[in-house]
Amino acid sequence: MHLRRTLDERFNPLLSGLDGRVARHRVNPRILISTSSRFVFYRIPKAGHSTVGNTLLNHDPGISQDQRDAIRGRGDKIGGYHHPREVGIRVSREAWRHYFLFTFVRNPFHRTLSAYLDKVVRGRPPARKHLGAGQYSSAPDEEPPGFADFLARLEQGDLYRGPHWAPQVALLPRDRRRLDHVGHLERIDEDLPELLHRLFDVRDNPEIANWDPHRTDSTQRLAEYYDGRSIDRIRRLYREDFDAFGYSFDPDRSSPA
């Protein structure tokens, strides 16, 4: 199993082309491939990926209504799509060279707090194990670690252990110029219809199919968790994301430039 995974990660361009600081086997299930509609979606946790995926499912002409009904019946937010290791090296090479590659990103202040509230405060496995410290494996009735303690763990080596709080650039190709579309969660009402138009030639204000079972309302709770020190820590930890995606270092300015 490990040999197969090693070979896939070395020769499959959708995996070998990744940034690499987050283990590629953890990123693999977050890459969705449609061979019928010829796209690759790099899903970033806590950046609206479930809403984007559910909306794609609604509009993708390569998925029948019966398939949609079956997928919804299972509560499956991935839909009828596949991962790089599932489609194999040959198809992944074709996808890397010729498919439409895209992702959606989010303001690092909001995304990090959302990951903390959902995965640490709520204690949702398996994300908890990616913090790697015994204190984070507490029983459900024990007090969760504070936000400052969480940020300290990220600073001490756990930043790249879990995809839910890893920098977004670390979940994408090293050469981000290969991406044909980078949407922003803060502008999803504009960026997602644009994506649907480019992928499926959908027009006339398509409906966005919101899917937010893990919603944390982090955008409304910034003042509860952020002080001067934690703001500085986020700026340092996620400097690459701020620079890559046009977000301000000012937490009061949520939308990208």
Side-chain angles (χ1 to χ4, degrees):
M1 175 179 175
H2 291 296
L3 176 60
R4 171 65 186 278
R5 189 170 76 188
T6 299
L7 292 174
D8 283 338
E9 292 176 2
R10 178 174 296 181
F11 297 108
N12 187 316
L14 294 178
L15 298 177
S16 63
L18 290 169
D19 174 279
R21 284 174 288 179
V22 177
R24 288 179 171 87
H25 71 271
R26 290 178 178 164
V27 183
N28 172 72
R30 302 192 176 281
I31 302 174
L32 300 188
I33 303 166
S34 169
T35 54
S36 58
S37 295
R38 297 175 66 83
F39 67 72
V40 179
F41 176 23
Y42 291 86
R43 297 187 304 147
I44 293 179
K46 314 309 298 179
H49 72 88
S50 296
T51 292
V52 174
N54 202 32
T55 303
L56 291 173
L57 177 68
N58 277 356
H59 294 279
D60 190 339
I63 297 178
S64 69
Q65 188 58 50
D66 286 344
Q67 288 175 307
R68 290 189 184 98
D69 292 342
I71 290 166
R72 290 197 182 95
R74 297 193 302 266
D76 183 358
K77 62 184 179 182
I78 293 175
Y81 305 125
H82 304 285
H83 310 309
R85 293 190 64 197
E86 288 180 317
V87 301
I89 292 173
R90 182 183 62 82
V91 172
S92 292
R93 283 176 176 162
E94 170 72 9
W96 177 247
R97 293 169 180 167
H98 302 296
Y99 283 17
F100 189 93
L101 278 55
F102 67 94
T103 191
F104 268 74
V105 298
R106 186 181 187 182
N107 185 300
F109 288 113
H110 299 195
R111 177 174 174 263
T112 307
L113 179 57
S114 181
Y116 167 74
L117 294 173
D118 185 33
K119 304 304 177 183
V120 178
V121 173
R122 292 175 179 170
R124 296 180 58 83
R128 177 191 296 176
K129 69 182 181 182
H130 294 154
L131 282 167
Q135 70 194 79
Y136 290 92
S137 299
S138 56
D141 58 344
E142 292 185 9
E143 190 71 19
F147 188 55
D149 293 333
F150 169 68
L151 295 182
R153 288 302 308 170
L154 301 188
E155 292 170 333
Q156 293 163 13
D158 287 340
L159 182 63
Y160 298 103
R161 285 177 54 87
H164 291 87
W165 48 75
Q168 294 164 95
V169 295
L171 304 171
L172 296 171
R174 286 188 299 273
D175 183 1
R176 292 190 301 278
R177 294 173 299 178
R178 298 298 299 268
L179 296 172
D180 298 292
H181 179 88
V182 177
H184 296 79
L185 179 61
E186 297 79 13
R187 296 196 304 233
I188 196 168
D189 289 338
E190 302 169 17
D191 290 355
L192 187 47
E194 177 187 345
L195 175 68
L196 295 174
H197 174 66
R198 297 179 71 180
L199 284 178
F200 310 133
D201 198 27
V202 172
R203 302 172 187 268
D204 300 326
N205 300 316
E207 179 183 357
I208 294 176
N210 288 301
W211 179 312
D212 54 0
H214 301 160
R215 184 183 179 94
T216 62
D217 293 319
S218 59
T219 301
Q220 287 74 43
R221 303 183 66 182
L222 294 183
E224 292 180 47
Y225 290 91
Y226 281 109
D227 56 19
R229 186 181 180 194
S230 58
I231 289 171
D232 286 342
R233 296 168 99 169
I234 294 293
R235 288 169 177 164
R236 289 193 300 270
L237 286 165
Y238 298 97
R239 175 63 185 262
E240 290 179 274
D241 282 354
F242 285 107
D243 291 343
F245 306 121
Y247 289 105
S248 171
F249 285 120
D250 182 351
D252 292 327
R253 295 175 58 188
S254 62
S255 295

